[in-house]
Amino acid sequence: MSDARIEEIRARANAATDGHWGTHYDGKGTYAVEVRPGLDPNQGPVNEGVVATLTGEHGDQQTYQNARFIAHAREDVPYLLERLALIEALVSDFVDPDPCWFDHHGYCQAHGWAATDPGCPHGRAKALGLEETEEDGS
């Protein structure tokens, strides 16, 4: 992945607190996003720290949804980055290194793509930087 934004996202994900994150509701409208939340039979709810606190009104569904989003981001973002890397690698294996060339209708004759919207998938993959280069071992 050569996209600088992807690398920035990966750096933020790697810098965030490790571990499973979950939410705890105080019953009054405040949600805490906690690291490794659990329940100790002797102590009650336990965790290894609070990542974020979101305050809303009692029964506020939006605050609840925001807290869930933040808690799940700890595992969702790395998962999506890994899936993206796998998909980009797969696409790069299928991209034809030959350049697109278009007829008077705008159809790519090099790759047999007879549509203009969406355009030739080889050209779209190359525009995203997904083609293999000689440095990649092609």
Side-chain angles (χ1 to χ4, degrees):
M1 293 186 288
S2 60
D3 188 318
R5 184 164 183 205
I6 297 296
E7 293 308 318
E8 291 170 5
I9 294 168
R10 185 181 308 284
R12 285 191 296 271
N14 290 338
T17 303
D18 285 333
H20 170 74
W21 293 1
T23 59
H24 173 75
Y25 181 60
D26 73 354
K28 300 174 189 167
T30 299
Y31 288 88
V33 178
E34 302 174 336
V35 178
R36 296 183 188 90
L39 186 61
D40 182 307
N42 299 319
Q43 300 177 38
V46 295
N47 64 71
E48 295 181 18
V50 174
V51 174
T53 303
L54 292 85
T55 304
E57 299 296 323
H58 177 66
D60 177 10
Q61 282 296 307
Q62 191 61 59
T63 302
Y64 168 70
Q65 295 299 335
N66 291 343
R68 288 189 67 227
F69 179 81
I70 293 167
H72 284 273
R74 178 69 233 135
E75 295 170 11
D76 291 350
V77 170
Y79 170 80
L80 292 172
L81 288 170
E82 181 61 29
R83 293 287 297 189
L84 178 61
L86 292 171
I87 291 167
E88 286 184 338
L90 180 65
V91 169
S92 73
D93 286 344
F94 287 105
V95 174
D96 184 342
D98 293 337
C100 294
W101 61 272
F102 303 96
D103 66 12
H104 64 282
H105 296 291
Y107 303 158
C108 179
Q109 296 300 300
H111 304 112
W113 189 255
T116 57
D117 187 22
C120 176
H122 297 276
R124 288 183 287 143
K126 289 175 188 176
L128 292 173
L130 299 181
E131 76 275 17
E132 275 193 32
T133 64
E134 290 184 28
E135 295 169 2
D136 294 334
S138 60

